[in-house]
Amino acid sequence: MTEPGSRVQLGYLLPTREQVMAGQHDAASLLALAVQAAAIGVDSLWVGDSLIARPRHDPLTLLAGLATRIPRVQLGTAVLLPALRNPVLLAQQLATIDQLSEGRLVVGAGIAADAPSIRAEFAAAGVPFEKRVGRLLEGFRLCRALWQGEPVNWDGRWSLQDASLAPVPHRPGGPPIWLAASVPAGIRRAAKHFDGWFPIGPDADAIARGTAQLAQDAAELGRGTPTVAVYLTLCIDDDAARAQATLDAYLTEYYALPAQILRSVQACYGGSLEGALDWLRAFVAAGAQHLVLRIVGDAPPVLESLIANRAALNA
């Protein structure tokens, strides 16, 4: 868990989905972009998850590749859909990545939105869409039990008898898990069961309210306050109207939904760098300790500008 008042961390979401949408299926360009972002000075690199709803590179395989190519920075999922995976297999995969990265893995995880394409994705994976919250919670409890390295007996959705997992993660107890959630019940689940809260928006005021609830819930449960990370989408252009139009076109193509609907639930910014710094600063003031940035357009120059001005985010 991150101590309040520490320097805000800046992360970059690799464009796995965008590359596939552009017909670029190679992984070499993604690895090169990740190396460039790490050299610029980002604190973390992230990859998304989807099978057929929004096809892209497998996040766990890609993170394993990143772990062997890039030192120091954190590596994470933004966000993983663990309900699509058997938790015993998932525990082994995550432990292996944590070993490859020597303890730099962060697992951002969510339950997935209720949409026809997501339901079809669950059906394609042979997983029931209903009761996915309970499956996520039990699945991670089982992962954490297996990560202890001792024989596990389990009688629930999955059945194990004296089952031991190897390797155990590099980090004792396993990688931190940050829950993506927006509703009060989800925030309380983050406070009770997980190491971080990882919302997607819709604005700094909502994050401030959620952070306050998270701290209150954690205190009531006798836990330290989990890390607060926020997933944010930016398009930087001195021509604000052009930035907004580019952002709207991106959202519509990415999700096949009207941009206005997406902006109502996701935190998005289009405009100048100065305006972006003010916008990001509002999330830091709201309690965000880690900003995970999805950048629309040419990312490296934007990352360079943000890193050069990162001190202003804590002002």
Side-chain angles (χ1 to χ4, degrees):
M1 298 183 186
T2 304
E3 291 297 326
S6 60
R7 186 190 74 167
V8 64
Q9 304 287 290
L10 292 178
Y12 172 52
L13 180 75
L14 290 171
T16 55
R17 172 61 178 149
E18 294 87 338
Q19 293 268 84
V20 169
M21 289 168 64
Q24 300 172 4
H25 293 240
D26 70 287
S29 59
L30 288 168
L31 290 172
L33 182 57
V35 169
Q36 185 178 7
I40 289 169
V42 299
D43 299 294
S44 58
L45 293 163
W46 302 81
V47 291
D49 184 24
S50 185
L51 292 174
I52 63 171
R54 290 187 282 276
R56 67 187 72 201
H57 301 71
D58 171 66
L60 302 182
T61 308
L62 186 56
L63 285 176
L66 292 172
T68 62
R69 288 283 298 273
I70 298 171
R72 293 183 297 278
V73 303
Q74 287 187 310
L75 304 171
T77 51
V79 295
L80 186 74
L81 303 180
L84 293 175
R85 296 166 172 86
N86 177 285
V88 180
L89 176 59
L90 180 62
Q92 183 190 45
Q93 291 171 320
L94 294 176
T96 300
I97 296 169
D98 200 55
Q99 285 289 351
L100 286 168
S101 67
E102 298 184 332
R104 291 181 286 130
L105 178 64
V106 177
V107 183
I111 62 170
D114 189 351
S117 62
I118 303 296
R119 285 179 173 266
E121 183 166 73
F122 273 64
V127 178
F129 187 76
E130 291 71 22
K131 299 183 179 180
R132 64 198 188 283
V133 174
R135 199 156 50 250
L136 177 147
L137 293 174
E138 183 182 346
F140 276 133
R141 286 199 302 271
L142 179 51
C143 284
R144 284 168 164 165
L146 290 165
W147 287 338
Q148 302 306 310
E150 301 295 331
V152 172
N153 292 289
W154 200 269
D155 185 15
R157 289 177 173 84
W158 302 275
S159 180
L160 286 79
Q161 293 184 351
D162 294 325
S164 297
L165 181 78
V168 296
H170 183 276
R171 194 182 311 216
I177 302 170
W178 297 355
L179 183 67
S182 56
V183 300
I187 296 171
R188 186 166 182 84
R189 279 193 289 271
K192 184 175 183 179
H193 300 290
F194 297 105
D195 308 291
W197 175 48
F198 197 2
I200 198 169
D203 54 39
D205 288 341
I207 301 306
R209 292 191 296 272
T211 299
Q213 183 200 325
L214 184 75
Q216 180 177 338
D217 288 345
E220 290 175 357
L221 294 163
R223 301 188 72 219
T225 303
T227 297
V228 177
V230 187
Y231 181 116
L232 305 168
T233 301
L234 332 165
C235 180
I236 303 299
D237 191 322
D238 287 335
D239 185 326
R242 184 168 58 200
Q244 295 289 353
T246 300
L247 184 56
D248 284 347
Y250 169 87
L251 292 170
T252 300
E253 182 182 12
Y254 192 103
Y255 294 101
L257 289 170
Q260 306 93 292
I261 293 176
L262 298 162
R263 283 173 176 268
S264 70
V265 294
Q266 297 190 19
C268 301
Y269 170 84
S272 69
L273 173 64
E274 293 74 17
L277 292 170
D278 288 340
W279 184 72
L280 294 171
R281 193 181 299 115
F283 287 95
V284 177
Q289 298 154 299
H290 207 129
L291 307 179
V292 176
L293 308 178
R294 178 171 62 169
I295 298 172
V296 178
D298 189 13
V302 174
L303 290 173
E304 288 177 352
S305 296
L306 293 173
I307 294 297
N309 289 278
R310 72 183 308 159
L313 298 178
N314 290 307

